[in-house]
Amino acid sequence: MSNIMNAWKAAKIKRSVRQIRGEKIFRASLVLISLSILVIVVAFLFTLVIQSLPSIKALGFGFLYGKTWDPVHNIYGTYPFLLGTLLTSFLALIISIPFSFATAIFLGEYYPRGWFSDFLKNAIELIAAVPSVIYGFWGLFVLVPIVRSLELKIGVTPYGIGIFASSLILTIMIIPYAASLGREMVRMVPSSLKEAAYALGATRYEVIKNVILPYSRSGLLAGVLLSLGRALGETMAVTMVIGNTSVIPDSIFAPGNTMASVIANEFTEAASSLYLSALIEIGLVLFLVTVIINMVGKRIIKKFTSE
Amino acid sequence: MKIKSKIKRIFLAVSAIAVLGSITTGCGSGSSNQSASTDSTATSGSADKTLLGAGSTFVYPLFSKQFSEYNKLTGLQINYQAIGSGGGILQLTNKTVDFGDSDAPLTEEQAQKMGVPVLHIPMCSGAVVISYNLPEVKDTLKLTPDVIANIYLGKITKWNDPKITAINPGVKIPATPILVAHRSDGSGTTNIFTDYLSKVNPEWSTKVGKGTSVNWPTGLGGKGNPGVSGLIKQTPGGIGYVELAYAIQNNLSYAKVQNKSGNYIVPNIASTSAAGNVTLPADSKIFLGNTDAADGYPISGFTWALIYQEQAYNKRSQDKAQDLLKMLWWEIHDGQKYCQDLDYAPLSPAAVTIAENILKSATYNGKAILQ
């Protein structure tokens, strides 16, 4: 009898040793994989820095505020593109916020279930799945003529393409990010809170304003930040409708250019090494701009939620 | 506290690894490429019949037709990557391809990086046409070099400008504002067009210059030929430059342009070929823009295959060099008959002779490959 007991005990110990080892291996592989992502990001940054060293040496800080981009005479200033990137992204963000918040509240609070809600939710997620070059084509052939006729009515130069058209395209492309995340956040508001507010005689609008929005604020803002990141880096769709002129836009209807689209446009045919290096430095600047905006955004979210 | 310091240590280690990694890939790019290329040539040795090429997108449709025909004839596989002229030159510099193709001769800097002599073999020529959108005008407009340059300098801004009406007597031209369109992506087409403008207009030459991308004084940029023609089609009063082949295939209307001899020339395959029928330099490195040929269309240019003059590098076999040279020889002779159908301009007799001489100058260990 005791023999059997001993064998059973030995087997149990063996099993748990194996289990512990398995756990360790699992944990180690998780750490390794997450670290590899960190390695990639840091290596990425360093590659950008090293490759753009010739341009940094030759141009210095003038690269950031220079207003001329002239590959023929080796004059490189990225200011118009920096401005174009920030203008299109923030304009798109401002236009998109009412739409994405409204969708989030509508799907999270008013119609959380049912076929219509599912349909709408899938449609919004589909927007995010459409390849950006298709947005570009659609923008060029459908949106741009509409913008042009609008420009004719308000009496500005009717280019059609430009900062405004790009912002509209970006708006459509980034809505799903803020809307989906926002919807989840709105749904996660505990019903006990909402019911308590109703019990106190609050109307639905008051519940949204005083309970749901404050509770889900950090999630909504995180969604906005996510969509801003998407807008900053978007290349293809913007390239096709922004007009690609390297002058400083004098209004939101003027044509312009963004950092991402300059890289996409000129990288393949960049003949001189300084030119190539300057294009990579644009990539570095874009990288840093994204990092800075993300950090500032996180700060803002933290401040809002701790209040 | 302990955990924090541990995290800190891990982070430091990670960044150290990352720095090391990027330094070795970044700084040692030359040497690492070298070893990669030796590997590739070693594996694709003399036994298998494959040639690698990379470069111009402009010539890609012609090359794929020619290479598939040549494959039927000889069984030689030719793999051509249309990654752009600049990319092709870079790949040839790194010796990862057997030949490159560029719409412009090597610049001094590029030639210096190659280190050894590179042969330019003209493959065919292409023209750049001035397309416009004036629905009211039924006749084909005539344009002079001066007018084109001033439109692109932003000095002529209305279609009924006296400079345009004077050269188009009898044509009623509306007062539509001109919308200038140009390529936004770096391209050989832009290079040919800006080279032409630099030749015919001193102000353009000093202010803007020539290149695959330039600092445009005015106008909107569209991506690729479709982007530019899209801008033109959508805007009444639009003007832009596109490849001849693209314009023919998409039924765009385009202008006759006055050449050096004073003739107004309709851009087509014959007039583009004619532009190359002039006395060419022995190395064929010439921009054809503003040609001397009386019946030649003035805005055109060659595309060149690029190979090293000395073919014995990276342990390449003599067979491989022979295959490459024979293939190029075929392209400038029998291969030319595929140009017409694809709207490329075949080489002029003068250009073929030059190309033959250039191919004959290629060597393997100092000995001529083609007899």
Side-chain angles (χ1 to χ4, degrees):
Chain A
M1 197 63 191
S2 67
N3 251 355
I4 297 171
M5 276 299 278
N6 277 346
W8 184 74
K9 250 183 195 164
K12 202 178 164 192
I13 288 167
K14 216 174 170 186
R15 187 165 160 265
S16 49
V17 165
R18 217 174 33 223
Q19 261 176 341
I20 289 167
R21 198 184 296 144
E23 286 285 329
K24 271 188 178 158
I25 292 170
F26 183 61
R27 182 160 167 265
S29 57
L30 282 187
V31 170
L32 211 68
I33 289 167
S34 0
L35 281 187
S36 68
I37 289 174
L38 201 59
V39 172
I40 288 170
V41 172
V42 178
F44 193 64
L45 182 64
F46 272 92
T47 316
L48 281 178
V49 170
I50 287 167
Q51 302 262 2
S52 50
L53 270 183
S55 146
I56 294 173
K57 268 185 205 144
L59 307 161
F61 278 106
F63 185 76
L64 286 180
Y65 55 79
K67 296 179 179 67
T68 317
W69 182 264
D70 186 346
V72 178
H73 301 110
N74 267 335
I75 303 167
Y76 305 101
T78 193
Y79 182 69
F81 313 139
L82 186 65
L83 200 68
T85 296
L86 294 178
L87 261 179
T88 47
S89 303
F90 279 97
L91 199 59
L93 198 67
I94 291 166
I95 305 172
S96 79
I97 282 177
F99 290 97
S100 45
F101 280 15
T103 318
I105 292 168
F106 181 76
L107 285 179
E109 174 64 17
Y110 282 74
Y111 284 95
R113 271 172 293 277
W115 69 269
F116 180 68
S117 165
D118 280 346
F119 177 70
L120 198 60
K121 189 182 131 235
N122 289 333
I124 289 168
E125 273 157 18
L126 200 64
I127 290 181
V130 175
S132 60
V133 65
I134 293 176
Y135 282 109
F137 271 119
W138 180 80
L140 191 57
F141 293 115
V142 180
L143 191 67
V144 165
I146 298 172
V147 172
R148 186 177 296 127
S149 55
L150 175 82
E151 287 174 346
L152 273 173
K153 269 187 197 128
I154 59 174
V156 292
T157 323
Y159 289 122
I161 59 180
I163 303 273
F164 185 64
S166 320
S167 301
L168 287 184
I169 283 282
L170 281 177
T171 303
I172 298 166
M173 295 176 76
I174 65 178
I175 281 177
Y177 295 88
S180 300
L181 199 66
R183 171 181 154 274
E184 294 302 324
M185 288 297 150
V186 170
R187 282 185 69 173
M188 270 163 57
V189 176
S191 49
S192 55
L193 279 183
K194 290 189 273 181
E195 277 158 20
Y198 282 128
L200 290 172
T203 63
R204 196 152 205 184
Y205 173 73
E206 282 165 343
V207 170
I208 290 170
K209 188 169 158 255
N210 298 320
V211 178
I212 294 176
L213 281 186
Y215 193 88
S216 54
R217 194 160 45 196
S218 73
L220 288 171
L221 284 175
V224 168
L225 197 63
L226 201 66
S227 50
L228 181 62
R230 165 94 173 148
L232 284 170
E234 177 48 46
T235 310
M236 208 53 215
V238 172
T239 301
M240 292 171 85
V241 297
I242 198 166
N244 300 300
T245 55
S246 28
V247 288
I248 292 166
D250 49 6
S251 79
I252 58 164
F253 295 105
N257 215 341
T258 66
M259 292 191 275
S261 64
V262 172
I263 299 173
N265 270 322
E266 302 187 5
F267 200 74
T268 48
E269 293 288 341
S272 80
S273 50
L274 183 61
Y275 187 13
L276 205 63
S277 179
L279 285 171
I280 294 170
E281 198 183 341
I282 294 187
L284 179 66
V285 173
L286 185 57
F287 188 92
L288 293 179
V289 166
T290 319
V291 169
I292 290 169
I293 286 181
N294 251 304
M295 270 161 47
V296 172
K298 292 245 167 73
R299 257 297 146 73
I300 293 173
I301 291 174
K302 215 172 178 183
K303 208 174 167 197
F304 259 100
T305 41
S306 61
E307 262 170 18
Chain B
M1 196 56 214
K2 210 177 163 193
I3 294 172
K4 223 176 188 177
S5 71
K6 207 172 174 186
I7 290 174
K8 213 171 170 184
R9 213 160 349 120
I10 290 175
F11 180 77
L12 278 176
V14 165
S15 20
I17 294 168
V19 172
L20 257 166
S22 62
I23 285 174
T24 44
T25 52
C27 295
S29 67
S31 59
S32 65
N33 278 330
Q34 210 98 37
S35 63
S37 61
T38 13
D39 286 350
S40 75
T41 36
T43 47
S44 62
S46 57
D48 75 316
K49 299 204 129 223
T50 309
L51 290 177
L52 289 179
S56 159
T57 45
F58 160 73
V59 79
Y60 180 60
L62 176 65
F63 270 10
S64 26
K65 176 73 184 161
Q66 285 181 334
F67 293 156
S68 91
E69 293 296 326
Y70 193 68
N71 179 252
K72 282 181 211 159
L73 283 174
T74 62
L76 188 72
Q77 279 283 344
I78 301 145
N79 181 354
Y80 182 76
Q81 304 155 355
I83 54 172
S85 302
I89 291 167
L90 210 63
Q91 295 243 22
L92 188 68
T93 312
N94 293 334
K95 301 196 172 78
T96 47
V97 290
D98 297 301
F99 64 98
D101 188 280
S102 170
D103 301 334
L106 294 187
T107 62
E108 246 166 63
E109 193 196 330
Q110 287 166 336
Q112 222 166 37
K113 273 192 186 165
M114 293 270 189
V116 289
V118 168
L119 299 178
H120 294 59
I121 306 117
M123 288 287 114
C124 67
S125 52
V128 176
V129 303
I130 310 294
S131 177
Y132 57 88
N133 177 0
L134 286 173
E136 303 91 338
V137 178
K138 295 282 171 270
D139 310 84
T140 305
L141 277 188
K142 292 179 189 165
L143 295 174
T144 59
D146 184 50
V147 165
I148 299 172
N150 279 311
I151 288 175
Y152 271 86
L153 281 168
K155 289 186 170 168
I156 297 180
T157 54
K158 285 239 185 312
W159 276 105
N160 65 348
D161 191 280
K163 275 187 170 167
I164 300 178
T165 50
I167 51 173
N168 289 285
V171 184
K172 255 191 87 70
I173 304 175
T176 324
I178 297 177
L179 176 107
V180 174
H182 55 76
R183 289 280 287 268
S184 65
D185 48 334
S187 116
T189 311
T190 302
N191 206 353
I192 291 172
F193 183 63
T194 51
D195 167 69
Y196 170 71
L197 291 183
S198 301
K199 276 180 181 161
V200 296
N201 189 297
E203 189 185 346
W204 184 276
S205 158
T206 51
K207 218 175 126 188
V208 186
K210 62 173 183 175
T212 51
S213 304
V214 300
N215 186 21
W216 296 97
T218 181
L220 300 178
K223 191 164 168 54
N225 288 305
V228 172
S229 71
L231 283 174
I232 302 168
K233 274 184 185 162
Q234 281 189 16
T235 332
I239 187 170
Y241 63 94
V242 289
E243 272 165 30
L244 172 66
Y246 187 85
I248 293 176
Q249 285 151 18
N250 292 280
N251 294 319
L252 305 178
S253 52
Y254 41 84
K256 292 181 198 171
V257 180
Q258 190 182 40
N259 69 7
K260 211 173 183 177
S261 318
N263 303 323
Y264 286 96
I265 306 289
V266 181
N268 54 33
I269 289 161
S271 62
T272 308
S273 278
N277 206 10
V278 289
T279 324
L280 298 168
D283 59 3
S284 88
K285 287 195 261 184
I286 183 178
F287 279 98
L288 291 177
N290 207 20
T291 176
D292 289 325
D295 53 349
Y297 178 72
I299 319 174
S300 68
F302 285 130
T303 179
W304 289 270
L306 305 173
I307 59 169
Y308 287 106
Q309 179 163 27
E310 173 53 57
Q311 285 286 305
Y313 57 90
N314 272 358
K315 300 180 206 149
R316 281 158 59 96
S317 67
Q318 187 155 9
D319 286 349
K320 191 162 194 131
Q322 191 106 33
D323 279 348
L324 176 65
L325 269 292
K326 274 189 182 159
M327 185 272 288
L328 292 171
W329 186 267
W330 178 86
E331 273 192 291
I332 60 169
H333 292 101
D334 295 349
Q336 291 289 309
K337 62 171 179 264
Y338 302 106
C339 287
Q340 196 91 23
D341 283 344
L342 294 164
D343 298 313
Y344 291 90
L347 296 174
S348 66
V352 172
T353 317
I354 293 281
E356 282 177 353
N357 289 334
I358 295 170
L359 281 178
K360 281 177 186 161
S361 72
T363 56
Y364 190 88
N365 280 335
K367 273 182 270 175
I369 299 170
L370 293 172
Q371 299 308 321

XYZ file of all heavy atoms in Angstrom, chain A residues 247-295:
362
model
N 5.374 74.415 -50.811
C 5.314 75.790 -50.303
C 4.466 75.780 -49.041
O 3.697 74.856 -48.804
C 4.696 76.754 -51.339
C 5.652 76.995 -52.473
C 3.374 76.239 -51.845
N 4.617 76.830 -48.249
C 3.858 76.890 -47.003
C 2.411 77.262 -47.334
O 2.161 78.261 -48.002
C 4.493 77.920 -46.057
C 5.857 77.388 -45.623
C 3.609 78.183 -44.860
C 6.719 78.398 -44.969
N 1.460 76.426 -46.927
C 0.068 76.702 -47.266
C -0.407 77.999 -46.613
O -0.129 78.247 -45.441
C -0.681 75.488 -46.697
C 0.243 74.877 -45.719
C 1.622 75.185 -46.174
N -1.117 78.846 -47.402
C -1.570 80.113 -46.830
C -3.008 80.032 -46.315
O -3.491 80.954 -45.681
C -1.406 81.263 -47.844
C -1.985 80.922 -49.200
O -2.604 79.846 -49.324
O -1.825 81.726 -50.132
N -3.715 78.938 -46.623
C -5.019 78.728 -46.007
C -5.263 77.230 -45.984
O -4.487 76.470 -46.553
C -6.124 79.422 -46.806
O -6.466 78.640 -47.931
N -6.359 76.791 -45.339
C -6.588 75.349 -45.288
C -7.051 74.813 -46.643
O -7.120 73.616 -46.848
C -7.595 74.948 -44.191
C -8.933 75.639 -44.406
C -7.045 75.214 -42.817
C -10.043 74.992 -43.598
N -7.374 75.721 -47.578
C -7.790 75.246 -48.900
C -6.615 75.167 -49.864
O -6.757 74.716 -50.987
C -8.878 76.156 -49.471
C -10.146 76.109 -48.671
C -10.498 77.154 -47.829
C -10.974 74.999 -48.742
C -11.661 77.090 -47.077
C -12.132 74.933 -47.987
C -12.478 75.975 -47.153
N -5.461 75.632 -49.441
C -4.294 75.631 -50.321
C -3.694 74.234 -50.402
O -3.849 73.434 -49.483
C -3.252 76.613 -49.784
N -3.025 73.933 -51.508
C -2.306 72.658 -51.570
C -1.087 72.689 -50.655
O -0.592 73.755 -50.315
C -1.881 72.555 -53.035
C -1.880 73.947 -53.544
C -2.903 74.698 -52.758
N -0.646 71.545 -50.243
C 0.525 71.471 -49.372
C 1.195 70.131 -49.538
O 1.099 69.504 -50.586
N 1.882 69.699 -48.502
C 2.548 68.402 -48.545
C 2.777 67.925 -47.119
O 2.850 68.743 -46.213
C 3.881 68.527 -49.286
C 4.186 67.285 -50.080
O 3.622 66.225 -49.831
N 5.078 67.405 -51.036
N 2.858 66.632 -46.929
C 3.149 66.131 -45.591
C 4.470 65.374 -45.606
O 4.952 64.970 -46.660
C 2.065 65.170 -45.077
O 2.080 63.997 -45.878
C 0.695 65.799 -45.117
N 5.023 65.161 -44.420
C 6.318 64.487 -44.324
C 6.252 63.084 -44.914
O 7.111 62.680 -45.699
C 6.750 64.441 -42.862
C 7.082 65.798 -42.319
S 7.892 65.741 -40.722
C 6.494 65.653 -39.653
N 5.201 62.361 -44.540
C 5.100 60.983 -45.018
C 4.999 60.937 -46.537
O 5.609 60.085 -47.187
C 3.895 60.297 -44.388
N 4.251 61.879 -47.135
C 4.085 61.772 -48.581
C 5.341 62.217 -49.324
O 5.616 61.719 -50.414
C 2.832 62.510 -49.059
O 2.914 63.867 -48.835
N 6.111 63.126 -48.762
C 7.382 63.493 -49.409
C 8.298 62.274 -49.477
O 8.899 61.976 -50.514
C 8.096 64.632 -48.647
C 9.481 64.859 -49.208
C 7.306 65.901 -48.753
N 8.368 61.549 -48.361
C 9.224 60.365 -48.346
C 8.751 59.370 -49.402
O 9.535 58.877 -50.211
C 9.217 59.704 -46.953
C 9.762 60.676 -45.906
C 10.047 58.434 -46.962
C 9.639 60.169 -44.496
N 7.457 59.109 -49.403
C 6.919 58.121 -50.339
C 7.158 58.549 -51.778
O 7.469 57.742 -52.643
C 5.431 57.921 -50.094
N 7.029 59.849 -52.039
C 7.161 60.343 -53.405
C 8.585 60.299 -53.913
O 8.843 59.963 -55.055
C 6.676 61.793 -53.480
C 5.208 61.880 -53.802
O 4.716 61.093 -54.596
N 4.522 62.804 -53.188
N 9.528 60.710 -53.069
C 10.847 61.007 -53.601
C 11.910 59.966 -53.281
O 13.000 60.017 -53.819
C 11.286 62.398 -53.100
C 10.265 63.442 -53.521
C 10.707 64.867 -53.223
O 11.844 65.067 -52.778
O 9.889 65.773 -53.455
N 11.582 59.005 -52.419
C 12.622 58.092 -51.947
C 13.215 57.246 -53.070
O 14.422 57.068 -53.144
C 12.058 57.187 -50.854
C 13.114 56.570 -49.993
C 13.775 57.322 -49.049
C 13.457 55.248 -50.146
C 14.756 56.770 -48.252
C 14.441 54.687 -49.359
C 15.089 55.449 -48.408
N 12.371 56.743 -53.970
C 12.868 55.798 -54.973
C 13.846 56.441 -55.944
O 14.701 55.764 -56.487
C 11.721 55.197 -55.795
O 10.883 56.261 -56.218
C 10.945 54.201 -54.999
N 13.700 57.738 -56.197
C 14.533 58.355 -57.226
C 15.535 59.347 -56.647
O 16.068 60.180 -57.362
C 13.657 59.051 -58.272
C 12.819 58.101 -59.122
C 13.652 57.306 -60.114
O 14.783 57.718 -60.406
O 13.161 56.270 -60.569
N 15.756 59.287 -55.343
C 16.695 60.221 -54.735
C 18.111 59.857 -55.168
O 18.623 58.808 -54.803
C 16.578 60.180 -53.220
N 18.723 60.749 -55.961
C 19.978 60.381 -56.603
C 21.206 60.656 -55.737
O 22.100 59.846 -55.659
C 20.101 61.100 -57.939
N 21.254 61.801 -55.053
C 22.479 62.118 -54.311
C 22.355 61.632 -52.871
O 21.259 61.464 -52.345
C 22.738 63.623 -54.333
O 21.929 64.273 -53.378
N 23.496 61.414 -52.231
C 23.444 60.813 -50.897
C 22.902 61.794 -49.862
O 22.241 61.386 -48.914
C 24.832 60.309 -50.501
O 25.789 61.313 -50.696
N 23.155 63.090 -50.065
C 22.612 64.071 -49.121
C 21.087 64.108 -49.215
O 20.376 64.202 -48.211
C 23.194 65.460 -49.408
C 22.759 66.553 -48.439
C 23.180 66.230 -47.027
C 23.303 67.910 -48.854
N 20.596 64.003 -50.432
C 19.154 63.986 -50.691
C 18.514 62.810 -49.955
O 17.532 62.963 -49.209
C 18.966 63.865 -52.200
C 17.561 63.983 -52.741
C 16.513 64.449 -51.966
C 17.295 63.646 -54.062
C 15.237 64.559 -52.491
C 16.034 63.753 -54.594
C 15.002 64.206 -53.806
O 13.740 64.309 -54.336
N 19.112 61.638 -50.137
C 18.604 60.423 -49.489
C 18.619 60.593 -47.972
O 17.654 60.270 -47.275
C 19.485 59.243 -49.893
C 18.853 57.864 -49.836
C 17.707 57.787 -50.815
C 19.876 56.797 -50.160
N 19.711 61.137 -47.486
C 19.864 61.322 -46.050
C 18.833 62.322 -45.518
O 18.279 62.141 -44.432
C 21.280 61.800 -45.770
O 21.458 62.013 -44.421
N 18.565 63.366 -46.301
C 17.574 64.361 -45.883
C 16.188 63.726 -45.800
O 15.410 64.017 -44.892
C 17.568 65.538 -46.857
N 15.892 62.825 -46.747
C 14.593 62.143 -46.719
C 14.484 61.264 -45.474
O 13.436 61.191 -44.837
C 14.405 61.303 -47.981
C 14.086 62.100 -49.251
C 14.138 61.205 -50.472
C 12.718 62.739 -49.143
N 15.597 60.603 -45.119
C 15.572 59.764 -43.923
C 15.427 60.635 -42.687
O 14.747 60.272 -41.733
C 16.845 58.887 -43.867
C 16.824 57.898 -45.032
C 16.930 58.135 -42.553
C 18.102 57.149 -45.244
N 16.023 61.835 -42.733
C 15.875 62.725 -41.588
C 14.421 63.165 -41.430
O 13.943 63.350 -40.311
C 16.793 63.944 -41.718
C 16.981 64.636 -40.374
C 17.821 65.887 -40.454
O 18.561 66.062 -41.436
O 17.727 66.705 -39.526
N 13.717 63.328 -42.539
C 12.277 63.609 -42.434
C 11.599 62.486 -41.658
O 10.759 62.720 -40.786
C 11.614 63.733 -43.822
C 12.147 64.944 -44.564
C 10.112 63.868 -43.676
C 11.409 65.217 -45.850
N 11.993 61.242 -41.981
C 11.446 60.098 -41.271
C 11.733 60.187 -39.783
O 10.854 59.921 -38.954
N 12.934 60.616 -39.450
C 13.319 60.757 -38.047
C 12.463 61.824 -37.366
O 11.962 61.628 -36.257
C 14.805 61.129 -37.965
C 15.382 61.352 -36.582
C 15.380 60.063 -35.799
C 16.798 61.898 -36.674
N 12.284 62.955 -38.061
C 11.475 64.035 -37.492
C 10.038 63.552 -37.269
O 9.444 63.790 -36.216
C 11.494 65.276 -38.421
C 10.524 66.328 -37.928
C 12.890 65.854 -38.497
N 9.528 62.832 -38.244
C 8.159 62.312 -38.125
C 8.048 61.373 -36.927
O 7.098 61.431 -36.152
C 7.778 61.581 -39.418
C 6.348 61.065 -39.539
C 5.354 62.185 -39.367
C 6.131 60.396 -40.886
N 9.053 60.532 -36.782
C 9.119 59.598 -35.658
C 9.079 60.369 -34.338
O 8.291 60.069 -33.441
C 10.422 58.798 -35.787
C 10.575 57.656 -34.829
C 10.150 56.388 -35.187
C 11.156 57.835 -33.588
C 10.312 55.326 -34.326
C 11.309 56.781 -32.717
C 10.881 55.522 -33.086
N 9.917 61.407 -34.249
C 9.993 62.176 -33.005
C 8.692 62.931 -32.747
O 8.219 63.002 -31.613
C 11.181 63.141 -33.060
C 12.543 62.455 -33.078
C 13.662 63.470 -33.153
C 12.719 61.575 -31.844
N 8.121 63.496 -33.815
C 6.853 64.219 -33.655
C 5.793 63.280 -33.094
O 5.060 63.625 -32.164
C 6.393 64.806 -35.014
C 4.944 65.249 -34.949
C 7.267 65.976 -35.406
N 5.736 62.064 -33.628
C 4.761 61.092 -33.151
C 5.001 60.767 -31.682
O 4.060 60.705 -30.888
C 4.857 59.799 -33.982
O 5.042 60.160 -35.343
C 3.607 58.985 -33.859
N 6.275 60.580 -31.333
C 6.596 60.258 -29.939
C 6.184 61.393 -29.008
O 5.535 61.187 -27.977
C 8.113 59.970 -29.794
C 8.506 59.907 -28.339
C 8.470 58.675 -30.491
N 6.527 62.631 -29.410
C 6.210 63.787 -28.562
C 4.700 63.916 -28.381
O 4.191 64.068 -27.267
C 6.795 65.079 -29.183
C 8.319 65.053 -29.088
C 6.239 66.308 -28.478
C 8.997 66.137 -29.891
N 3.971 63.812 -29.504
C 2.519 63.962 -29.413
C 1.919 62.870 -28.537
O 1.014 63.116 -27.734
C 1.906 63.969 -30.830
C 2.227 65.307 -31.492
C 0.409 63.744 -30.772
C 1.667 65.472 -32.857
N 2.459 61.663 -28.657
C 1.970 60.569 -27.830
C 2.217 60.836 -26.351
O 1.349 60.585 -25.516
C 2.666 59.265 -28.232
C 1.723 58.337 -28.928
O 0.676 58.007 -28.381
N 2.067 57.935 -30.132
N 3.402 61.362 -26.043
C 3.730 61.618 -24.646
C 2.846 62.719 -24.077
O 2.308 62.594 -22.972
C 5.207 61.995 -24.524
C 6.081 60.756 -24.315
S 7.809 60.981 -24.695
C 8.218 62.479 -23.895
